């Protein structure tokens, strides 16, 4: 059996900055298989974002282990984490975080270049992604001129530019209206069908509904972890019950 | 490699997004580097010509003039430390007529075969030849001052009044005296037989002897031996130190000024750079975090920022080097720029630039990789100043602006300080300007009461006086004579200027002590006091042409000539043999009279017999300083602007969120604009006021210090007038507000979304 | 379904099969396909109440068909239906009852109940997502219906979260 795409063993995070240490994550075990789409849910303050940040090396863990594609990552230095992220991890954030001074095209090409692609490869990959996301005509625009949904689609393209083995997303639709959410949702569903492993923090049930598996966090601990079954009846009547 | 490509993309995009600021940074650094290079070139160039010329000509360290050619002269070659003797050469005073002007010169007899020691080095044309007895070789600075070219006629008038026509056969460099016109008379070499023809009277000539020493430092000791040995025979003596000092006279002043401006400017520029880079990094924290989440390491981010901001600095350095080099060569006509100091400047500036952007870059690298929600400015409570503003019922926009000014304390301080430093330097620059204006407007305050010096020429003293008295524009005239006096123990000559009488003294600008009032009293320049180590009230004993001159120094006068190493006495303090007839008359003109006009009239009236010279105002010699001041003010303004742009960019960033709220609260766009402008404007006013105050308080001290060290003496400095300062402050504040207004206007008009993005 | 059919008949008279088609056309794939038998049963009840009336229409080489039309009384009932505000979503939720009462008897754990319910809601949501993906983008009535269902589910999930925070 192949290695899990992502694995956390007894992961703990304590913020000791303030007067009282805050236990944000208390011993989370999590294993994500390649191709899986995991939704991480829970009330605010339950440690969802901290967990995903730690899984991507954006935040340091207090104790526990993190394995990315079979290599142990929690012991890595900040710089080594950065190198790992380049190749294996794509991030999507709530506030899109496109580099404001760069065009849409440059934003998408940047991680590909960073990952070691030649300028030509990066351009081809960018053209492909923007085409798939229906953003080809926006390639030369500045991110500030795009709507929120468009920006998040660009951010998604950027996260996918490197064909990461894991896509980590932190409330990707938290800042979008329902129409834009639908666009992003469709995209996430598509990339997942193409075999992309996704771990996503979300509050949005519609987004979570796309996932194969839901992990519910409460007060820094996993309170539920299970597959979401689909009836896949195919008829509308089975889904919408007219009373 | 991959990081390089990605990094370059980011840098390029970021630079494109802030073209104006980037250009400004480059210009600031370029300006500073240009100023520093010009400074060092001037300072280096001041000493270099002597060193180079001395080496080329295998020059002599000690030169002395005697009345006769005696056997004792040869004996000076036996003094310990003397390796060889140049001369004695016969030298006769003549006047060169060129383009209607008359310039003094010493005609020196040298053999057709150039001597081994202290031989002039021909730069154009040829050396003297016995086949061409009409040929003359002219010292280069003299030739340039007279615009003489090879083959040009060289008309001289001997003491007898007889005219001789020679021609310029060659132009040569020499290290035996300073450059004309700082050092007079000019120098020209002829064959001994030519000199005999021009000046047959041995009594009207002198003998010049040079001594080359094994050790330049022993010049002092050797000169004292010469003084003792020759005693009464000796008329004048100087060493290589005076020659070197004469050669660097003007440039040193300019160089010091530039260096001062350059160094302080560099500090200001470093501050501006650090400010700009820091502000930019602060504005980019989210982008930097995003880059990190993409896989840039801490070190790479820091390097990226260092490269981006450092590259601007280095580009500025490159441009500045070109400009400084080109400018120095073009404006000052120097041909060589010393490589070592320039390299040192480049390395130093580069270090300063990298250090200035290093800290913000390092901090940028430490940005946590989690892109937080848009950074909000610290919400300060109303500052004390803002509360004061509220108390005196200022309009709301002003109160808000006042609050904003100090929300971020460190940047607020940096902005004010960053404006204060250039403003201080501008004030100092204006002070130098005012001092120069004072030189030009009130020459009598710098020892140039007389606008014309008239020599009797072919006329007797009585005739000359009659012509002078007859002229309607002459207010007063003072007979005078310059003699060389030997200072005991100093082993060198100083200039004694006897002018006016004790009863009717020449109005020297005495800044300490008092004017001389009776025979045996004297006033001195700062240079002389320093040289002899005496102070006002001391008695000094000098030897003039063999006879002792004992005077008491009763005052210090501003003395722009000969590095201030001049002793001024009344004519009646000197022996009659030295003063009758007077060598020249110093003419003070009536207010409004044009010296050139009076000079022309005197010449015509006397049938070209009088020898009239217009006194050169030091301000005219220092005219280039004005150009430099203008250029420096431009550079300093750029620095100030750079700081200002950073400040307003930071202010705007902090307010992006506030603006919508302010508008929702009912502030009109005009009030929003006023709020923003007040925020930066307050800092501007603070900085400008502090800088002006600081500059005004040090400017006279600095200029006087410079005056003191250059020998002219303290007391020349004039602070910029209150009017000038007020205008400067108003212009600075006005420009700053206008600059701050543009982004504020745009921000106030823009539709700002209420949601954070 | 009574009033829905009545509304369609108020628009124009129709026979049973035409009504089935009209329902499917108007609501698209989001509406559960109605059973033709059920339609006839409903029409019969409407006729009995005097809200519709049926006429036989002769057809060549086919049996006669019954065409229904809306009566004046039917119109009054429809007007009343349209004028009344529609009842909001149920407040007394069956799951909530379970959540409060079941732990008292010791037969279930609240956390387990919540988790199971969450998965159920999410799986429903997944189905809605699938349905939404399969629905033609220009079928606006259907999409709105789906979106409405999703938002109800979202609210249910949020409420679940509140229950977890306050009860568990």
């Amino acid at each position: 059996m192949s290695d899990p795409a992502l694995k956390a063993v007894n992961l703990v995070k304590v913020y000791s900055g303030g007067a009282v240490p805050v236990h944000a994550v208390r011993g989370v075990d999590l294993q994500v298989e390649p191709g899986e789409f995991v939704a991480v849910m829970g009330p605010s303050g339950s440690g969802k974002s901290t967990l995903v940040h730690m899984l991507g090396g954006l935040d340091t863990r207090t104790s526990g282990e993190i394995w990315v594609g079979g290599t142990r990552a929690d012991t890595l230095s900040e710089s080594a984490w950065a190198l790992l992220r380049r190749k294996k991890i794509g991030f999507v954030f709530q506030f899109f975080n496109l580099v404001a001074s760069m065009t849409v095209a440059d934003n998408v090409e940047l991680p590909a270049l960073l990952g070691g692609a030649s300028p030509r490869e990066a351009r081809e990959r960018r053209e492909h992604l923007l085409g798939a996301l229906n953003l080809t005509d926006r390639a030369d625009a500045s991110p500030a001129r795009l709507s929120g949904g468009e920006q998040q689609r660009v951010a998604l393209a950027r996260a996918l530019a490197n064909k990461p083995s894991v896509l980590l997303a932190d409330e990707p639709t938290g800042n979008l209206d329902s129409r834009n959410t639908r666009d992003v949702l469709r995209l996430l569903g598509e990339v997942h069908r193409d075999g992309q492993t996704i771990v996503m923090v979300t509050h949005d049930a519609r987004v979570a509904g796309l996932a194969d598996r839901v992990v519910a966090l409460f007060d820094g601990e996993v309170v539920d972890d299970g597959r979401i079954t689909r009836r896949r009846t195919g008829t509308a009547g089975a889904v919408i019950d007219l009373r | 490699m991959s990081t390089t490509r990605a990094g370059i993309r980011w840098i390029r995009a970021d630079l494109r997004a802030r073209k104006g600021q980037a250009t400004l940074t480059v210009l600031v650094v370029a300006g500073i580097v240009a100023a520093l290079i010009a400074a060092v070139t001037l300072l280096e160039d001041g000493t270099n010509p002597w060193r180079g010329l001395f080496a080329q000509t295998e020059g002599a360290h000690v030169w002395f003039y005697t009345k006769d050619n005696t056997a004792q002269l040869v004996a000076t070659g036996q003094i310990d430390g003397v390796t060889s003797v140049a001369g004695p050469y016969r030298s006769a005073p003549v006047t060169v007529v060129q383009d209607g002007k008359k310039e003094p010169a010493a005609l020196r007899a040298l053999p057709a075969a150039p001597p081994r020691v202290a031989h002039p080095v021909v730069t154009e044309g040829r050396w003297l030849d016995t086949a061409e007895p009409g040929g003359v070789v002219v010292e280069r600075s003299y030739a340039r001052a007279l615009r003489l070219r090879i083959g040009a006629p060289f008309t001289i008038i001997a003491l007898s009044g007889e005219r001789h026509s020679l021609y310029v056969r060659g132009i040569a460099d020499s290290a035996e005296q300073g450059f004309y016109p700082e050092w007079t008379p000019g120098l020209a070499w002829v064959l001994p037989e030519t000199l005999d023809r021009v000046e047959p009277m041995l009594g009207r000539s002198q003998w010049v002897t040079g001594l080359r020493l094994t050790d330049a430092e022993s010049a002092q000791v050797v000169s004292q031996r010469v003084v003792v040995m020759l005693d009464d025979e000796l008329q004048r003596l100087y060493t290589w130190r005076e020659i070197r000092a004469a050669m660097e006279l003007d440039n040193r002043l300019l160089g010091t000024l530039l260096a001062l401006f350059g160094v302080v400017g560099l500090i200001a520029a470093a501050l501006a750079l650090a400010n700009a880079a820091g502000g930019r990094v602060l504005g980019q924290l989210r982008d930097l975090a995003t880059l990190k989440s993409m896989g840039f390491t801490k070190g790479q981010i820091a390097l990226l920022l260092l490269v981006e901001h450092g590259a601007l600095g280095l580009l500025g350095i490159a441009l500045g080097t070109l400009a400084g080099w080109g400018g120095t060569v073009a404006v000052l006509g120097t041909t060589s720029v010393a490589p070592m100091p320039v390299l040192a400047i480049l390395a130093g500036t580069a270090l300063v630039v990298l250090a200035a952007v290093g800290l913000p870059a390092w901090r940028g690298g430490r940005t946590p990789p989690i892109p937080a929600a848009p950074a909000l400015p610290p919400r300060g409570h109303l500052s004390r100043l803002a509360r004061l503003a509220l108390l005196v019922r200022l309009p709301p926009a002003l109160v808000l602006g006042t609050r904003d000014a100090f929300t971020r304390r460190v940047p607020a301080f940096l902005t004010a300080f960053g404006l204060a430093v250039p403003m201080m330097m501008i004030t100092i620059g204006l002070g130098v300007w005012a001092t120069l204006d004072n030189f030009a407007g009130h020459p009598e305050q710098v020892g140039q009461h007389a606008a014309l010096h008239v020599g009797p020429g072919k006329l007797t003293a009585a005739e000359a006086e009659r012509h002078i008295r007859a002229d309607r524009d002459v207010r007063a005239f003072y007979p005078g004579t310059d003699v060389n006096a030997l200072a005991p123990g100093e082993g060198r000559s100083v200039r004694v200027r006897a002018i006016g009488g004790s009863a009717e003294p020449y109005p020297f600008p005495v800044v300490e002590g008092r004017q001389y009032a009776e025979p045996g009293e004297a006033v001195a320049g700062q240079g002389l006091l320093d040289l002899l180590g005496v102070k006002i009230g001391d008695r000094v004993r000098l030897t003039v042409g063999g006879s002792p001159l004992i005077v008491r120094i009763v005052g210090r006068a501003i003395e722009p000539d000969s590095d201030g190493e001049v002793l001024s006495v009344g004519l009646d303090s000197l022996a009659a043999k030295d003063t009758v007839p007077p060598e020249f008359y110093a003419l003070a003109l009536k207010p409004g009279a044009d010296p050139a006009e009076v000079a022309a009239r005197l010449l015509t009236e006397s049938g070209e017999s009088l020898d009239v010279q217009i006194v050169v105002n030091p301000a005219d010699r220092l005219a280039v300083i004005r150009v430099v001041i203008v250029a420096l003010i431009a550079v300093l303004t750029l620095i100030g602007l750079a700081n200002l742009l950073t400040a307003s960019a930071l202010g705007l960033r902090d307010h992006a969120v506030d603006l919508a709220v302010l508008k929702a609260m009912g502030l009109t766009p005009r009030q929003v604009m006023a709020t923003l402008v007040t925020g930066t404007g307050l800092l501007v006013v603070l900085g400008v006021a502090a800088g002006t105050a600081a500059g005004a308080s040090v400017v006279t001290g600095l200029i006087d210090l410079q005056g003191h060290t250059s020998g002219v003496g303290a007391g020349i400095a004039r602070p910029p007038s209150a009017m000038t300062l007020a205008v400067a402050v108003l212009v600075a504040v006005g420009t700053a507000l206008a600059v701050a207004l543009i982004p504020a206007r745009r921000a106030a008009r823009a539709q700002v979304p209420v949601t954070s993005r | 379904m009574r009033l829905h059919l009545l509304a369609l008949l108020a628009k124009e008279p129709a026979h049973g099969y035409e009504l089935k088609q009209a329902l499917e056309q108007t609501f698209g794939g989001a509406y559960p396909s109605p059973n033709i038998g059920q339609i006839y049963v409903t029409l019969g009840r409407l006729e009995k109440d005097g809200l519709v009336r049926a006429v036989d229409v002769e057809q060549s080489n086919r049996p006669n068909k019954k065409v229904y039309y809306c009566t004046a009384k039917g119109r009054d009932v429809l007007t009343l239906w349209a004028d009344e505000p529609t009842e909001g979503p149920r407040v007394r939720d069956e799951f909530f009852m379970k959540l409060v009462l079941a732990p008292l008897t010791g037969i279930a754990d609240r956390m387990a109940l919540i988790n199971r319910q969450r998965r159920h809601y999410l799986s429903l949501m997944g189905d809605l997502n699938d349905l939404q993906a399969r629905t033609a983008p220009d079928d606006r009535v259907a999409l709105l219906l789906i979106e409405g269902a999703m938002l109800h589910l979202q609210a249910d999930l949020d409420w679940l979260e509140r229950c977890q925070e306050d009860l568990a």
Side-chain angles (χ1 to χ4, degrees):
Chain A
M1 193 186 139
S2 65
D3 288 314
L6 204 57
K7 190 169 80 175
V9 182
N10 197 17
L11 203 54
V12 173
K13 175 72 186 180
V14 181
Y15 290 106
S16 46
V20 187
V22 177
H23 294 264
V25 173
R26 336 168 165 239
V28 166
D29 292 306
L30 181 68
Q31 183 159 333
V32 181
E33 299 304 329
E36 238 185 338
F37 184 164
V38 177
V40 179
M41 299 188 80
S44 28
S46 59
K48 311 178 298 260
S49 291
T50 308
L51 175 64
V52 196
H53 288 158
M54 282 194 290
L55 290 178
L58 298 188
D59 211 343
T60 53
R61 57 107 177 82
T62 306
S63 69
E65 293 173 20
I66 298 169
W67 296 72
V68 178
T71 39
R72 179 148 181 197
D74 56 281
T75 48
L76 294 178
S77 68
E78 195 192 320
S79 300
W81 255 117
L83 297 179
L84 185 72
R85 273 201 295 277
R86 270 184 216 181
K87 302 273 185 201
K88 303 229 164 146
I89 294 171
F91 255 107
V92 180
F93 300 99
Q94 180 177 0
F95 292 105
F96 327 136
N97 291 317
L98 299 177
V99 179
S101 54
M102 300 177 99
T103 61
V104 165
D106 272 347
N107 261 293
V108 178
E109 284 181 37
L110 198 62
L113 288 173
L114 198 58
S118 74
R120 194 150 78 106
E121 286 162 0
R123 199 183 61 234
E124 284 168 359
R125 180 101 181 116
R126 180 257 298 174
E127 281 166 355
H128 168 76
L129 279 167
L130 289 185
L133 302 189
N134 229 346
L135 286 167
T136 307
D137 52 334
R138 301 297 227 158
D140 294 322
S142 142
R145 301 190 163 275
L146 267 53
S147 73
E150 284 173 321
Q151 288 196 45
Q152 194 60 295
R153 269 142 70 197
V154 174
L156 192 59
R158 186 179 67 188
L160 295 171
N162 253 353
K163 306 184 182 175
S165 49
V166 181
L167 179 69
L168 295 175
D170 185 5
E171 299 274 12
T173 58
N175 222 22
L176 299 180
D177 61 18
S178 83
R179 191 183 307 259
N180 279 317
T181 300
R182 205 165 59 204
D183 288 345
V184 173
L185 224 65
R186 210 185 56 235
L187 273 168
L188 279 172
E190 277 168 24
V191 297
H192 172 47
R193 263 195 295 287
D194 293 344
Q196 178 68 55
T197 312
I198 304 175
V199 175
M200 178 171 60
V201 166
T202 187
H203 226 83
D204 190 329
R206 279 173 295 175
V207 188
L210 284 176
D212 304 319
R213 185 176 146 196
V214 61
V215 172
L217 282 185
F218 187 70
D219 204 13
E221 288 176 75
V222 175
V223 292
D224 187 29
D225 181 353
R227 306 202 65 78
I228 301 171
T229 50
R230 297 280 170 81
R231 280 175 289 179
R232 303 211 187 271
T233 51
T235 60
V239 184
I240 298 177
D241 185 16
L242 280 180
R243 279 182 289 265
Chain B
M1 183 63 206
S2 56
T3 333
T4 319
R5 276 206 200 103
I8 287 172
R9 285 272 176 113
W10 188 77
I11 290 176
R12 220 172 45 194
D14 189 45
L15 288 180
R16 208 179 302 141
R18 50 177 197 114
K19 276 186 218 121
Q21 208 192 21
T23 316
L24 207 58
T25 305
V26 173
L27 286 182
V28 163
V29 177
I32 295 297
V33 170
L36 280 175
I37 287 185
V40 81
T41 310
L42 287 172
L43 287 174
E44 246 329 86
D45 195 46
T47 53
N48 254 354
W50 175 82
R51 196 180 299 144
L53 292 177
F54 189 82
Q56 274 175 24
T57 58
E58 291 165 72
H61 292 93
V62 178
W63 289 95
F64 54 92
Y65 291 52
T66 50
K67 201 92 184 146
D68 297 309
N69 184 9
T70 62
Q72 276 173 309
L73 290 183
V74 184
T76 55
Q78 306 303 316
I79 297 173
D80 271 354
V82 176
T83 52
S84 38
V85 182
Y89 305 118
R90 191 174 163 226
S91 181
V94 292
T95 306
V96 177
V97 183
Q98 175 73 14
D99 300 334
K101 283 191 295 183
K102 293 182 176 178
E103 308 280 346
L107 216 51
R108 186 150 315 164
L110 251 69
R116 198 174 55 76
V117 178
H119 52 83
V121 173
V122 177
T123 55
E124 280 178 76
R126 291 151 181 277
W127 183 242
L128 303 168
D129 189 343
T130 39
E132 299 277 351
V136 57
V137 176
V138 187
E139 193 274 324
R140 190 148 67 123
S141 64
Y142 191 58
R144 191 192 303 156
L146 271 63
R147 295 164 200 262
L148 289 170
R149 293 178 186 287
I150 301 295
F154 190 76
T155 310
I156 50 176
I157 305 173
L159 273 187
S160 60
E162 210 179 324
R163 267 177 197 254
H164 296 270
S165 279
L166 304 174
Y167 78 96
V168 180
R169 183 174 164 79
I171 292 173
D173 275 329
S174 163
E176 64 191 87
Q177 66 177 48
F179 296 135
Y180 192 84
E182 283 82 33
W183 187 293
T184 50
L187 185 56
W189 297 275
V190 290
L191 291 170
E193 45 272 38
T194 316
L195 187 61
D196 288 344
R197 189 156 56 79
V198 172
E199 185 54 85
M201 298 278 287
L202 275 180
R204 286 183 186 159
S205 59
Q206 293 174 309
W207 293 84
V208 183
T209 312
L211 300 178
R212 187 172 168 87
L213 312 179
T214 41
D215 176 16
E217 295 310 314
S218 63
Q220 184 86 357
V221 180
V222 172
S223 355
Q224 280 171 17
R225 293 283 307 277
V226 172
V227 172
V228 172
M229 223 161 147
L230 298 178
D231 200 17
D232 288 1
E233 279 291 316
L234 195 61
Q235 289 194 313
R236 187 182 181 195
L237 180 145
Y238 54 82
T239 69
W240 60 275
R241 287 181 200 279
E242 285 86 74
I243 302 169
R244 191 181 67 172
M247 283 182 176
E248 70 185 15
L249 178 68
D250 286 357
N251 290 351
R252 192 177 56 188
L253 178 65
L254 190 56
T256 314
L257 191 71
L258 272 172
L260 175 70
F261 270 80
V263 169
V264 179
L266 185 62
I267 295 170
L271 202 66
L273 269 178
N275 238 349
R280 189 66 190 161
V281 167
L282 205 57
Q284 281 176 323
L285 286 183
R286 239 148 64 82
D287 279 359
L288 296 180
T290 307
L291 290 185
K292 272 194 155 182
S293 77
M294 263 185 238
F296 275 96
T297 64
K298 182 165 61 180
Q300 282 166 347
I301 297 274
L303 191 68
L304 209 61
L305 292 170
L306 192 68
V307 166
E308 181 189 345
H309 295 276
L312 292 180
L314 295 183
L315 182 64
I317 291 177
L319 283 180
T321 313
L322 282 179
W325 202 302
T328 317
V329 170
V331 175
L332 302 163
T334 47
T335 45
S336 64
V337 177
M340 274 320 288
V342 169
L343 283 180
I345 284 179
L346 296 190
T349 322
L351 270 180
V352 169
V353 163
L354 292 183
V357 301
L359 186 67
W362 178 74
R363 278 196 358 211
R366 282 166 44 99
T367 314
I370 303 166
L376 292 177
R379 293 299 144 121
H381 43 257
L382 280 184
S383 65
R384 228 171 281 164
L385 203 62
R387 252 178 275 169
L388 190 73
L390 205 61
L391 213 63
V392 295
R393 289 176 188 278
L394 286 178
L398 294 185
V399 179
L400 286 170
T402 314
R403 185 205 71 166
D404 292 341
F406 301 97
T407 315
R408 289 181 185 273
R409 272 156 203 274
V410 173
F413 169 76
L414 282 180
T415 304
F417 189 66
L419 286 171
V421 172
M423 198 58 207
M424 180 181 91
M425 297 312 289
I426 288 178
T427 309
I428 293 176
L430 290 175
V432 175
W433 189 281
T435 303
L436 286 181
D437 271 352
N438 191 57
F439 275 19
H442 302 278
E444 74 278 2
Q445 291 183 6
V446 283
Q448 295 192 328
H449 185 67
L452 291 176
H453 276 189
V454 175
K458 280 183 282 190
L459 305 180
T460 63
E463 284 170 324
E465 277 183 37
R466 190 166 49 77
H467 279 296
I468 293 166
R469 241 185 266 278
D471 197 279
R472 60 176 186 277
D473 278 338
V474 175
R475 183 153 55 105
F477 69 95
Y478 308 87
T481 295
D482 275 357
V483 293
N484 287 301
L486 287 168
E490 274 307 312
R492 51 167 290 192
S493 304
V494 295
R495 199 164 132 203
V496 173
R497 181 200 291 131
I499 188 164
S502 298
E504 192 192 354
Y506 183 79
F508 283 108
V510 178
V511 287
E512 275 180 74
R514 58 175 177 82
Q515 175 71 285
Y516 59 81
E518 54 185 82
E521 288 185 344
V523 294
Q526 183 71 48
L528 187 93
L529 295 178
D530 290 349
L531 177 74
L532 299 182
V534 294
K535 51 187 192 302
I536 294 167
D538 285 355
R539 215 167 262 281
V540 292
R541 184 183 186 282
L542 303 166
T543 317
V544 178
S547 41
L549 169 68
I550 301 167
V551 290
R552 200 159 72 86
I553 297 178
V554 295
R556 179 172 73 78
I558 301 290
E559 185 52 73
D561 291 340
S562 306
D563 285 355
E565 292 171 358
V566 180
L567 186 72
S568 301
V569 296
L571 269 178
D572 42 11
S573 294
L574 285 189
K577 70 170 170 83
D578 291 319
T579 57
V580 180
E583 197 177 293
F584 62 86
Y585 294 92
L587 271 58
L589 303 184
K590 287 180 181 160
D594 178 14
E597 206 175 284
V598 179
R601 197 160 55 223
L602 280 173
L603 277 176
T604 336
E605 292 292 318
S606 64
E608 303 275 316
S609 303
L610 284 175
D611 182 8
V612 185
Q613 280 183 26
I614 299 174
V615 173
V616 180
N617 190 291
D620 296 340
R621 277 192 283 156
L622 300 175
V624 69
I625 288 186
R626 291 181 192 255
V627 180
V628 169
I629 289 175
V630 170
L632 285 173
I633 287 180
V635 172
L636 291 165
T637 309
L638 283 184
I639 294 179
L641 278 183
N643 273 320
L644 198 65
L645 278 187
T646 310
S648 56
L650 198 64
L652 274 189
R653 204 184 68 87
D654 280 356
H655 288 104
V657 187
D658 286 356
L659 285 184
V661 181
L662 289 181
K663 279 184 184 174
M665 273 161 49
L667 259 66
T668 62
R670 193 181 289 271
Q671 281 175 315
V672 170
M673 201 163 77
T675 306
L676 291 175
V677 172
T678 311
T680 29
L682 205 63
L683 296 178
V684 168
V685 171
L686 262 179
V688 167
T692 312
S697 61
V698 297
V699 60
T700 52
L702 268 179
I703 299 175
D704 274 343
L705 185 68
Q706 170 64 24
H708 185 100
T709 50
S710 67
V712 176
I716 49 171
R718 293 291 175 274
S721 71
M723 185 68 184
T724 317
L725 279 185
V727 168
V729 167
L730 283 182
V731 167
V733 172
T735 314
L737 289 187
V739 168
L741 200 62
I742 300 166
R745 224 164 101 118
R746 206 180 304 146
R749 294 267 164 87
Q751 292 294 325
V752 188
V754 180
T755 54
S756 55
R757 286 191 299 138
Chain C
M1 199 163 61
R2 293 170 68 223
L3 294 166
H4 305 165
L5 292 182
L6 191 59
L8 285 174
L9 288 176
K11 183 177 154 234
E12 58 183 349
H15 57 81
Y17 192 69
E18 279 173 341
L19 283 173
K20 176 177 154 67
Q21 279 181 320
L23 271 178
E24 278 169 359
Q25 240 170 33
T26 311
F27 292 98
Y31 199 89
S33 193
N35 182 330
I36 188 73
Q38 207 184 344
I39 289 181
Y40 279 114
V41 172
T42 312
L43 282 173
R45 277 192 208 135
L46 286 169
E47 193 174 14
K48 207 173 80 188
D49 294 344
L51 303 182
V52 300
R53 195 154 299 160
V55 285
D56 281 342
V57 175
E58 281 186 36
Q59 289 194 118
S60 53
N61 57 36
R62 267 187 166 199
N64 290 352
K65 66 173 181 182
K66 263 186 167 173
V67 172
Y68 295 86
Y69 60 92
C70 188
T71 63
K73 192 179 171 196
R75 266 184 195 282
D76 292 344
V77 170
L78 268 183
T79 314
L80 217 63
W81 175 65
D83 282 353
E84 257 180 11
T86 314
E87 196 53 53
R90 70 238 176 262
V91 179
R92 205 157 29 81
D93 187 274
E94 192 57 33
F95 168 73
F96 188 65
M97 294 299 154
K98 251 191 234 176
L99 187 64
V100 177
L101 298 175
L104 303 179
T105 63
I107 52 172
D109 170 54
R110 266 188 190 142
M111 194 57 100
L113 281 173
I114 289 173
N115 286 339
R116 195 174 317 121
Q117 192 64 17
R118 184 192 295 111
R119 286 193 217 176
H120 175 67
Y121 283 154
L122 286 176
S123 106
L124 279 180
M125 189 64 94
D127 290 342
L128 283 174
N129 274 330
D130 289 345
L131 185 61
Q132 191 182 41
R134 271 187 281 116
T135 307
D138 55 348
D139 193 350
R140 281 161 52 205
V141 174
L143 285 176
L144 281 174
L145 201 57
I146 296 171
E147 185 132 359
M150 284 177 154
L151 289 172
H152 278 296
L153 261 183
Q154 174 78 57
D156 286 338
L157 273 162
D158 288 348
W159 189 48
L160 206 59
E161 208 165 73
R162 291 285 301 125
C163 292
Q164 187 178 32
E165 281 175 85
D166 283 11
L167 291 179

